[in-house]
Amino acid sequence: MRHVAVVWPLLACSLPDWTKCGTETSLMPRARTGPLPLPDLQTGRKDEAGDFALITGFGPFPRVPCNPSAEIARIVAQDRRWRRLGWRIEAGIFPTRYGIVAETIARLAAQTPPRFVVMLGVAARARRLRVEMVAQNRVSAIHRDAGMARPGAAVIAPAAGAIRRGRHAGPVLVRALRKAGVPAEPSFSAGRYVCNFAYWHMLGAFPAPTEIVFVHVPMPQAPWRRRDPRPDRARMAHALTWLVAAMIARARLSQRAPAPGGAGRIPPRSSW
């Protein structure tokens, strides 16, 4: 059974005007640019209806009026290869607000779990894509979110441990990004802002069979700056299709038993 990739808002919110962020039709990654997809993905598996995954980005926040993670999440989800492979990849945008993020993840946890989740956020000072290996039980009591709110404590869950480990094959994903032509590295600090907060909650929300990874992307390459080491949006989107392909390959190798909550039945879009 085949499913068309869709784009959905995690909660009703006003999205930024992407036309002001340098969005162009040329940003769509092309299946034939760069090396071919992973060999495991040449033939789609059409006999299972439960093959769906989630990719998320974030909206704007103070000092970042245009968040590239949202645009890249949409581009990757709309890649035509996923439909041919029998997968439905859904993209959603989190408002960069602590309360809404926590509420939305709790709502998603009540639905059928996806096979995997790829979370994207922006690291404004980064020069490489960073595959986050852990979420830390900490949060900044200084920096305000997009709603000008600050958390009331320096930890997310006082009774919990210091970290939650990402559920993914970090080295495999870093290699996939590098093979696609972008600089990438593993990271052991997802920061203390809403990105880390969301990663922590997502890892605690879904059952263990659901692989979850967070990738920080840098701000896109500035065309007016010479020798800018950062990749542009098109290259990052293309590379992240490689990462999603690697996640699909891993999902195919995993056990076929249904996950708790009735995996194998795709929830309707209206329930999200």
Side-chain angles (χ1 to χ4, degrees), residues 116-131:
F116 62 83
V117 181
V118 176
M119 306 180 72
L120 304 180
V122 64
R125 298 182 181 179
R127 293 293 180 267
R128 300 169 179 265
L129 278 75
R130 301 190 334 219
V131 177

Side-chain angles (χ1 to χ4, degrees), residues 5 84 86 102 124 163 193 211 225 251 254 259 261:
R84 293 199 298 266
I163 64 170
Y193 197 47
E211 291 202 327
R225 290 183 57 183
S254 67

Side-chain angles (χ1 to χ4, degrees), residues 45-140:
R45 190 175 70 240
K46 304 176 183 179
D47 58 335
E48 295 188 18
D51 291 341
F52 79 103
L54 175 63
I55 180 167
T56 69
F58 286 91
F61 57 92
R63 294 187 293 180
V64 181
C66 178
N67 193 327
S69 69
E71 183 181 11
I72 292 171
R74 290 178 170 186
I75 293 172
V76 175
Q78 291 170 352
D79 192 292
R80 295 179 180 178
R81 285 173 292 186
W82 313 139
R83 182 175 60 182
R84 293 199 298 266
L85 294 168
W87 280 73
R88 187 178 94 185
I89 308 294
E90 296 200 0
I93 311 304
F94 283 112
T96 311
R97 300 177 63 175
Y98 290 107
I100 294 180
V101 164
E103 178 185 346
T104 303
I105 292 176
R107 289 177 59 244
L108 292 175
Q111 304 297 324
T112 302
R115 296 290 295 275
F116 62 83
V117 181
V118 176
M119 306 180 72
L120 304 180
V122 64
R125 298 182 181 179
R127 293 293 180 267
R128 300 169 179 265
L129 278 75
R130 301 190 334 219
V131 177
E132 301 295 347
M133 308 300 288
V134 299
Q136 302 192 42
N137 188 11
R138 63 182 188 180
V139 66
S140 173

Side-chain angles (χ1 to χ4, degrees), residues 20 54 59 95 107 150 167 170 179 182 194-195 204 229 240 245 261:
K20 298 180 180 178
L54 175 63
R107 289 177 59 244
R150 291 182 294 193
R167 296 202 296 266
K179 286 181 179 180
V182 298
V194 183
C195 288
L240 283 160

